[in-house]
Amino acid sequence: MDAKFYGLEKVIKEWEEAKKDPEKFWAEKAKLITWFKRPDKIIEGHPPFEKWYVNGLLNISYNAVDRHLPEKGEKVAFYWVNERLESKAISYRDLYCEVNRAAYVLKELGVKKGDTVSLLMPSIPEALYFSLAVHRLGATLVIHYVGLSPETLSYRLNDCDSKVMVVASKGFRNGNEIRIKDFVDKLLNEYKTPVEKVLVVKRGYDDFNVNKMDIIYEEVKPRGKVEVEPVAVESNEVATIYYTSGTTGRPKGLTHTNGGYVVALNTAFKSIFNPRQNDVWWTISELGWPVWPMANIYVIPVMGLTGVLFEGFIGYKPDLFSRVVERFGVSLVWSSTTTLYTLKSLGEESVKSGDISTLRMILNTGEPLNVGAWMWLREHIPNVYIADAYWMTEHLYPVAATPFGIAEIPYKPGSAGTKFPGSEYVVVDDEGKPLPPQSKGYIVLKPCSPALAKMHKDHNGERVVKTYWSRFQGYFYTGDYGYVDKDGYLYVLGRADDVITAGERIGTMEVESVVVTHPAIAEAAAVGYKKDGGEGILVVAVPKKGVSESQELENMIKEYLRNSGYIVDKVVFVRRLPKTKSGKIMRRLLRALVRGEEIGDVSTLDDPSIIEELRKALGQ
């Protein structure tokens, strides 16, 4: 590869500069936001106990709204649109007024700096208003998935100690009504929680019960103009708590800060997208996945761009994706891997029904985009850059990515990208020794990023050290398995716990990336199971629409894999794979079912009914 020709040399140079002098690198990035008081120090201490932008004072809501009013008051901050293509435009001045009204009501309810406020809402404008209102008061935001079990949500409410909960009366997804308020009533009736007040956004509906702790937002919302002074908070105070997706076990509460986290996110997207001021950015995500707040709270409005809030399921109609892009002139899309697979499964109508000529880049996040999906996208939307980024809730700054915002570099299908300035990955063996290129091992980090999370209620850092820093001395352990190629590109082959020992160590994604290139297969997951003399490989595959499962198809898939060097014992066909609400395949659940083990916590499973479907398919 000619590094100079592709711009890879420029990326590597910036990466080396950031590694050599991280304080200088992150001091420059601090200029991306407005500070009430500049930090006294950029970095203090060492991971995982370090602090960033020490004694710097700021307010996220001010950065997202107030500072744009003089020049961008009439600019559209967000478009809201649903599955029926009903839409609404919100200017930055509208956003300012609505955030202040929401903050006024929360303040009247007693919310103050340091409190936690929980949200349970679909992707609607009020979710944005209340998120920024929470930050305006210096409080901590906790966004939960719509669709969690009552038991799981009660655990999270108790863990984060939310006394105020903001909910929508209902939401709509895939043509179905989701009765959020009814769910909350059931939860609070059956479980003990710290919740004292439930602020309900009616959305024009009255078909729900009003209980003694309920307050209807539309009835108490100020009619005229109100202004709530943004509270100055120190950079290291907690801005938000995310709960892990549950793909690897019981969800953990992870905290990110007001200052460093926002700086890191804006740095990341400047490097990936290099957004222009006339860009329209659509993040296709459910509210409860960190991606939604990352984009819609901490980057799009902070940069003064225009965003799209989409309520619903992109697969509801085959032409929905391209119609939304056409209507709003979308230029940037941030999507989960699952959404891109959905577009592929819907066929070319999904990207060709409307005029998508404004679309410049799609960023994939969640899992490595398999070769088959990448080839399909290149064939059907050849003028759109496909970008990738590999990060985790614990480290919400790219571990590896394609920083097209810095320079154009080659995209390698199946890879997470290359070294990202401000981050550093290493692949090590069982003893923690760095491995040469092309050698498979454990992916670890030497993090020096303001977006490295702390664990909630872990005041002395004991839990974070035990969970992430004890496996390999001096490294943060991602829990993933992979390798680096000769050009420095990182390939994630799956969770280390999912690695299959079948003659050699095989990552689940190695097998899956081959299966999905077969013309009959839409999606697949691979798991290992015990058999005489070691482990066997079982593939759970979703046939494409119109393809019937059969013994002949199973034999074809086995032969197809054998030609790529993988001996698969069995192929099981299913209608869908078990996924979290953020779109990640729950391989842990598949592995437990195949091995006859306890399935453990499945609180973030998108649809629990799939467990019985899988058991039936596996002949249990």
Side-chain angles (χ1 to χ4, degrees):
M1 181 192 298
D2 188 335
K4 288 185 179 180
F5 177 81
Y6 285 112
L8 192 57
E9 187 179 68
K10 184 178 180 182
V11 174
I12 293 171
K13 182 181 179 182
E14 189 167 323
W15 178 84
E16 288 173 343
E17 288 173 353
K19 181 181 177 181
K20 180 181 178 181
D21 194 345
E23 188 162 337
K24 179 182 178 183
F25 178 82
W26 288 110
E28 181 64 28
K29 304 308 179 186
K31 297 175 184 176
L32 292 171
I33 65 173
T34 299
W35 299 85
F36 295 156
K37 175 185 174 295
R38 299 287 299 177
D40 295 334
K41 197 172 184 181
I42 303 301
I43 310 171
E44 182 177 274
H46 300 280
F49 305 108
E50 85 286 11
K51 291 183 177 182
W52 288 88
Y53 305 116
V54 181
N55 296 327
L57 299 179
L58 75 153
N59 183 276
I60 290 171
S61 181
Y62 179 89
N63 272 277
V65 187
D66 303 49
R67 70 173 182 160
H68 300 309
L69 292 183
E71 296 181 2
K72 300 179 181 178
E74 306 315 312
K75 179 179 180 177
V76 174
F78 284 91
Y79 295 106
W80 168 83
V81 63
N82 64 12
E83 294 172 337
R84 298 186 297 279
L85 295 181
E86 298 167 330
S87 63
K88 176 182 180 179
I90 304 147
S91 70
Y92 271 95
R93 197 166 305 283
D94 296 333
L95 186 59
Y96 175 81
C97 293
E98 294 294 346
V99 169
N100 274 276
R101 289 182 184 119
Y104 177 87
V105 173
L106 289 176
K107 190 174 181 180
E108 289 293 298
L109 292 179
V111 175
K112 61 186 183 304
K113 182 178 177 180
D115 290 343
T116 58
V117 177
S118 284
L119 261 64
L120 191 68
M121 310 178 87
S123 183
I124 57 177
E126 288 80 5
L128 180 68
Y129 304 156
F130 278 101
S131 294
L132 290 172
V134 169
H135 288 313
R136 195 167 195 84
L137 299 174
T140 299
L141 177 66
V142 191
I143 301 179
H144 304 281
Y145 290 117
V146 170
L148 290 175
S149 69
E151 179 184 10
T152 300
L153 186 50
S154 66
Y155 164 80
R156 294 185 179 193
L157 290 169
N158 280 289
D159 188 60
C160 68
D161 194 32
S162 285
K163 294 180 175 60
V164 174
M165 192 175 185
V166 185
V167 307
S169 61
K170 62 179 69 174
F172 299 90
R173 188 178 192 276
N174 205 18
N176 300 314
E177 179 183 87
I178 303 168
R179 300 188 62 82
I180 300 171
K181 177 59 167 59
D182 291 355
F183 168 78
V184 172
D185 289 348
K186 185 176 187 295
L187 179 151
L188 297 178
N189 185 52
E190 295 181 2
Y191 294 87
K192 181 177 175 57
T193 74
V195 175
E196 297 173 358
K197 297 292 181 184
V198 177
L199 192 56
V200 184
V201 176
K202 287 173 62 173
R203 304 193 68 191
Y205 302 102
D206 292 302
D207 55 340
F208 57 88
N209 294 323
V210 179
N211 304 308
K212 62 181 180 179
M213 67 170 64
D214 295 341
I215 297 165
I216 307 303
Y217 178 57
E218 287 83 350
E219 295 177 3
V220 298
K221 174 182 174 181
R223 298 289 176 252
K225 183 179 180 182
V226 293
E227 292 185 345
V228 177
E229 190 73 16
V231 175
V233 293
E234 199 273 337
S235 174
N236 293 281
E237 293 185 58
V238 175
T240 189
I241 302 172
Y242 296 128
Y243 286 87
T244 54
S245 63
T247 55
T248 57
R250 180 139 196 168
K252 300 177 285 290
L254 298 160
T255 64
H256 284 279
T257 64
N258 276 272
Y261 177 52
V262 178
V263 171
L265 286 181
N266 281 265
T267 300
F269 283 102
K270 196 170 185 298
S271 298
I272 294 171
F273 280 153
N274 193 21
R276 305 163 188 168
Q277 278 305 306
N278 62 345
D279 276 334
V280 177
W281 173 344
W282 178 16
T283 298
I284 309 174
S285 169
E286 299 289 330
L287 204 71
W289 190 24
V291 163
W292 192 96
M294 285 166 71
N296 296 314
I297 301 173
Y298 307 120
V299 180
I300 291 172
V302 171
M303 286 189 176
L305 305 174
T306 298
V308 174
L309 303 176
F310 174 73
E311 180 183 1
F313 173 52
I314 199 62
Y316 177 58
K317 292 180 180 178
D319 65 345
L320 197 50
F321 174 82
S322 58
R323 294 300 180 195
V324 172
V325 172
E326 178 183 49
R327 174 172 292 195
F328 303 112
V330 173
S331 46
L332 305 173
V333 166
W334 187 12
S335 166
S336 70
T337 316
T338 297
T339 295
L340 298 182
Y341 292 161
T342 298
L343 295 181
K344 180 189 173 191
S345 69
L346 293 170
E348 65 177 46
E349 185 180 358
S350 67
V351 293
K352 292 187 176 179
S353 296
D355 178 3
I356 65 167
S357 59
T358 58
L359 188 57
R360 187 169 77 249
M361 192 180 301
I362 294 175
L363 171 63
N364 168 64
T365 287
E367 295 189 343
L369 186 63
N370 67 56
V371 176
W374 182 82
M375 290 172 63
W376 185 88
L377 290 166
R378 295 303 300 153
E379 177 185 353
H380 294 287
I381 47 174
N383 297 322
V384 177
Y385 283 93
I386 307 301
D388 218 313
Y390 161 52
W391 32 21
M392 48 203 299
T393 311
E394 297 88 342
H395 187 267
L396 284 177
Y397 185 75
V399 173
T402 50
F404 294 141
I406 298 174
E408 185 175 349
I409 66 171
Y411 183 93
K412 294 192 176 188
S415 166
T418 188
K419 296 175 178 179
F420 198 82
S423 185
E424 182 178 2
Y425 54 76
V426 183
V427 176
V428 300
D429 63 15
D430 290 283
E431 281 72 49
K433 296 177 181 176
L435 290 167
Q438 305 297 142
S439 299
K440 293 187 285 188
Y442 305 97
I443 301 170
V444 297
L445 310 181
K446 296 184 74 175
C448 195
S449 154
L452 180 65
K454 304 289 192 291
M455 293 186 78
H456 183 47
K457 294 183 177 178
D458 182 31
H459 304 297
N460 60 5
E462 186 177 320
R463 285 173 59 218
V464 76
V465 169
K466 182 179 179 181
T467 306
Y468 299 106
W469 294 84
S470 60
R471 177 70 173 84
F472 297 105
Q473 189 66 35
Y475 291 117
F476 175 97
Y477 180 38
T478 66
D480 287 328
Y481 194 72
Y483 70 93
V484 178
D485 73 9
K486 59 184 177 60
D487 296 313
Y489 280 67
L490 180 67
Y491 289 76
V492 182
L493 302 178
R495 298 294 297 175
D497 292 344
D498 293 337
V499 169
I500 304 165
T501 306
E504 61 172 327
R505 287 182 172 180
I506 300 171
T508 53
M509 292 181 191
E510 291 182 80
V511 180
E512 294 163 11
S513 64
V514 174
V515 180
V516 294
T517 60
H518 191 282
I521 302 301
E523 286 189 274
V527 292
Y529 69 96
K530 293 179 181 178
K531 70 171 192 177
D532 294 340
E535 277 192 301
I537 302 175
L538 181 143
V539 169
V540 182
V542 179
K544 282 184 179 175
K545 192 174 181 179
V547 176
S548 301
E549 56 185 79
S550 64
Q551 185 62 54
E552 182 183 4
L553 180 59
E554 180 178 354
N555 293 338
M556 286 173 58
I557 300 302
K558 286 182 179 179
E559 181 64 23
Y560 191 72
L561 283 159
R562 188 177 294 112
N563 290 337
S564 295
Y566 300 107
I567 307 300
V568 171
D569 297 83
K570 188 172 178 60
V571 179
V572 174
F573 299 107
V574 296
R575 293 188 303 110
R576 53 187 177 147
L577 297 174
K579 294 178 181 177
T580 65
K581 292 175 180 63
S582 63
K584 292 184 179 180
I585 298 171
M586 288 190 77
R587 295 177 183 81
R588 173 181 62 81
L589 171 60
L590 281 173
R591 189 175 69 238
L593 289 172
V594 169
R595 297 180 179 183
E597 300 169 349
E598 289 292 322
I599 62 174
D601 181 72
V602 291
S603 60
T604 57
L605 186 62
D606 188 37
D607 183 358
S609 68
I610 197 174
I611 295 173
E612 289 308 313
E613 290 180 25
L614 291 169
R615 283 189 167 130
K616 185 177 180 181
L618 292 167
Q620 296 179 353

PDB file of all heavy atoms in Angstrom, residues 493-507:
ATOM      1  N   LEU A 493     -12.301 -10.101  15.654  1.00  0.00           N
ATOM      2  CA  LEU A 493     -12.805 -11.420  15.263  1.00  0.00           C
ATOM      3  C   LEU A 493     -13.876 -11.950  16.203  1.00  0.00           C
ATOM      4  O   LEU A 493     -14.363 -13.057  16.017  1.00  0.00           O
ATOM      5  CB  LEU A 493     -11.637 -12.414  15.196  1.00  0.00           C
ATOM      6  CG  LEU A 493     -10.516 -12.026  14.223  1.00  0.00           C
ATOM      7  CD1 LEU A 493      -9.399 -13.056  14.280  1.00  0.00           C
ATOM      8  CD2 LEU A 493     -11.040 -11.880  12.804  1.00  0.00           C
ATOM      9  N   GLY A 494     -14.228 -11.166  17.213  1.00  0.00           N
ATOM     10  CA  GLY A 494     -15.270 -11.603  18.138  1.00  0.00           C
ATOM     11  C   GLY A 494     -14.836 -11.427  19.583  1.00  0.00           C
ATOM     12  O   GLY A 494     -13.699 -11.022  19.874  1.00  0.00           O
ATOM     13  N   ARG A 495     -15.777 -11.696  20.479  1.00  0.00           N
ATOM     14  CA  ARG A 495     -15.445 -11.659  21.894  1.00  0.00           C
ATOM     15  C   ARG A 495     -14.477 -12.786  22.213  1.00  0.00           C
ATOM     16  O   ARG A 495     -14.584 -13.899  21.679  1.00  0.00           O
ATOM     17  CB  ARG A 495     -16.704 -11.815  22.752  1.00  0.00           C
ATOM     18  CG  ARG A 495     -17.740 -10.735  22.581  1.00  0.00           C
ATOM     19  CD  ARG A 495     -17.260  -9.397  23.067  1.00  0.00           C
ATOM     20  NE  ARG A 495     -16.968  -9.380  24.499  1.00  0.00           N
ATOM     21  CZ  ARG A 495     -16.440  -8.339  25.142  1.00  0.00           C
ATOM     22  NH1 ARG A 495     -16.126  -7.238  24.484  1.00  0.00           N
ATOM     23  NH2 ARG A 495     -16.216  -8.399  26.436  1.00  0.00           N
ATOM     24  N   ALA A 496     -13.513 -12.506  23.089  1.00  0.00           N
ATOM     25  CA  ALA A 496     -12.524 -13.527  23.443  1.00  0.00           C
ATOM     26  C   ALA A 496     -13.193 -14.747  24.065  1.00  0.00           C
ATOM     27  O   ALA A 496     -12.748 -15.879  23.869  1.00  0.00           O
ATOM     28  CB  ALA A 496     -11.499 -12.936  24.411  1.00  0.00           C
ATOM     29  N   ASP A 497     -14.302 -14.517  24.793  1.00  0.00           N
ATOM     30  CA  ASP A 497     -15.035 -15.629  25.398  1.00  0.00           C
ATOM     31  C   ASP A 497     -15.682 -16.524  24.346  1.00  0.00           C
ATOM     32  O   ASP A 497     -16.039 -17.663  24.630  1.00  0.00           O
ATOM     33  CB  ASP A 497     -16.132 -15.105  26.336  1.00  0.00           C
ATOM     34  CG  ASP A 497     -15.561 -14.438  27.577  1.00  0.00           C
ATOM     35  OD1 ASP A 497     -14.369 -14.651  27.852  1.00  0.00           O
ATOM     36  OD2 ASP A 497     -16.299 -13.708  28.253  1.00  0.00           O
ATOM     37  N   ASP A 498     -15.889 -15.977  23.142  1.00  0.00           N
ATOM     38  CA  ASP A 498     -16.560 -16.725  22.078  1.00  0.00           C
ATOM     39  C   ASP A 498     -15.587 -17.441  21.146  1.00  0.00           C
ATOM     40  O   ASP A 498     -16.021 -18.108  20.205  1.00  0.00           O
ATOM     41  CB  ASP A 498     -17.423 -15.771  21.234  1.00  0.00           C
ATOM     42  CG  ASP A 498     -18.596 -15.206  22.013  1.00  0.00           C
ATOM     43  OD1 ASP A 498     -19.005 -15.835  23.005  1.00  0.00           O
ATOM     44  OD2 ASP A 498     -19.098 -14.136  21.634  1.00  0.00           O
ATOM     45  N   VAL A 499     -14.294 -17.264  21.365  1.00  0.00           N
ATOM     46  CA  VAL A 499     -13.311 -17.895  20.487  1.00  0.00           C
ATOM     47  C   VAL A 499     -13.478 -19.408  20.523  1.00  0.00           C
ATOM     48  O   VAL A 499     -13.616 -20.017  21.584  1.00  0.00           O
ATOM     49  CB  VAL A 499     -11.877 -17.495  20.895  1.00  0.00           C
ATOM     50  CG1 VAL A 499     -10.854 -18.346  20.163  1.00  0.00           C
ATOM     51  CG2 VAL A 499     -11.643 -16.028  20.590  1.00  0.00           C
ATOM     52  N   ILE A 500     -13.483 -20.003  19.335  1.00  0.00           N
ATOM     53  CA  ILE A 500     -13.697 -21.446  19.198  1.00  0.00           C
ATOM     54  C   ILE A 500     -12.356 -22.126  18.997  1.00  0.00           C
ATOM     55  O   ILE A 500     -11.555 -21.722  18.145  1.00  0.00           O
ATOM     56  CB  ILE A 500     -14.619 -21.738  17.994  1.00  0.00           C
ATOM     57  CG1 ILE A 500     -15.947 -20.979  18.142  1.00  0.00           C
ATOM     58  CG2 ILE A 500     -14.869 -23.236  17.853  1.00  0.00           C
ATOM     59  CD1 ILE A 500     -16.746 -20.907  16.861  1.00  0.00           C
ATOM     60  N   THR A 501     -12.092 -23.149  19.802  1.00  0.00           N
ATOM     61  CA  THR A 501     -10.850 -23.915  19.654  1.00  0.00           C
ATOM     62  C   THR A 501     -11.179 -25.185  18.886  1.00  0.00           C
ATOM     63  O   THR A 501     -11.596 -26.205  19.450  1.00  0.00           O
ATOM     64  CB  THR A 501     -10.240 -24.252  21.024  1.00  0.00           C
ATOM     65  OG1 THR A 501     -10.078 -23.043  21.767  1.00  0.00           O
ATOM     66  CG2 THR A 501      -8.892 -24.933  20.858  1.00  0.00           C
ATOM     67  N   ALA A 502     -11.021 -25.114  17.586  1.00  0.00           N
ATOM     68  CA  ALA A 502     -11.309 -26.262  16.719  1.00  0.00           C
ATOM     69  C   ALA A 502     -10.063 -26.511  15.872  1.00  0.00           C
ATOM     70  O   ALA A 502      -9.968 -26.111  14.717  1.00  0.00           O
ATOM     71  CB  ALA A 502     -12.515 -25.977  15.836  1.00  0.00           C
ATOM     72  N   GLY A 503      -9.073 -27.141  16.484  1.00  0.00           N
ATOM     73  CA  GLY A 503      -7.779 -27.324  15.834  1.00  0.00           C
ATOM     74  C   GLY A 503      -6.903 -26.105  16.035  1.00  0.00           C
ATOM     75  O   GLY A 503      -5.743 -26.211  16.398  1.00  0.00           O
ATOM     76  N   GLU A 504      -7.455 -24.924  15.826  1.00  0.00           N
ATOM     77  CA  GLU A 504      -6.782 -23.659  16.099  1.00  0.00           C
ATOM     78  C   GLU A 504      -7.820 -22.710  16.685  1.00  0.00           C
ATOM     79  O   GLU A 504      -9.018 -23.009  16.704  1.00  0.00           O
ATOM     80  CB  GLU A 504      -6.191 -23.078  14.819  1.00  0.00           C
ATOM     81  CG  GLU A 504      -7.238 -22.781  13.766  1.00  0.00           C
ATOM     82  CD  GLU A 504      -6.679 -22.040  12.580  1.00  0.00           C
ATOM     83  OE1 GLU A 504      -5.754 -21.235  12.776  1.00  0.00           O
ATOM     84  OE2 GLU A 504      -7.167 -22.255  11.469  1.00  0.00           O
ATOM     85  N   ARG A 505      -7.389 -21.557  17.165  1.00  0.00           N
ATOM     86  CA  ARG A 505      -8.333 -20.574  17.695  1.00  0.00           C
ATOM     87  C   ARG A 505      -9.000 -19.829  16.546  1.00  0.00           C
ATOM     88  O   ARG A 505      -8.321 -19.233  15.703  1.00  0.00           O
ATOM     89  CB  ARG A 505      -7.616 -19.589  18.612  1.00  0.00           C
ATOM     90  CG  ARG A 505      -7.223 -20.205  19.953  1.00  0.00           C
ATOM     91  CD  ARG A 505      -6.560 -19.173  20.822  1.00  0.00           C
ATOM     92  NE  ARG A 505      -6.341 -19.652  22.168  1.00  0.00           N
ATOM     93  CZ  ARG A 505      -5.777 -18.929  23.133  1.00  0.00           C
ATOM     94  NH1 ARG A 505      -5.383 -17.688  22.878  1.00  0.00           N
ATOM     95  NH2 ARG A 505      -5.611 -19.421  24.329  1.00  0.00           N
ATOM     96  N   ILE A 506     -10.317 -19.851  16.554  1.00  0.00           N
ATOM     97  CA  ILE A 506     -11.085 -19.220  15.482  1.00  0.00           C
ATOM     98  C   ILE A 506     -12.066 -18.231  16.100  1.00  0.00           C
ATOM     99  O   ILE A 506     -12.867 -18.594  16.971  1.00  0.00           O
ATOM    100  CB  ILE A 506     -11.861 -20.272  14.657  1.00  0.00           C
ATOM    101  CG1 ILE A 506     -10.882 -21.260  14.021  1.00  0.00           C
ATOM    102  CG2 ILE A 506     -12.729 -19.602  13.597  1.00  0.00           C
ATOM    103  CD1 ILE A 506     -11.559 -22.459  13.377  1.00  0.00           C
ATOM    104  N   GLY A 507     -12.026 -16.986  15.665  1.00  0.00           N
ATOM    105  CA  GLY A 507     -12.985 -15.992  16.127  1.00  0.00           C
ATOM    106  C   GLY A 507     -14.329 -16.190  15.440  1.00  0.00           C
ATOM    107  O   GLY A 507     -14.384 -16.547  14.260  1.00  0.00           O
TER     108      GLY A 507
END
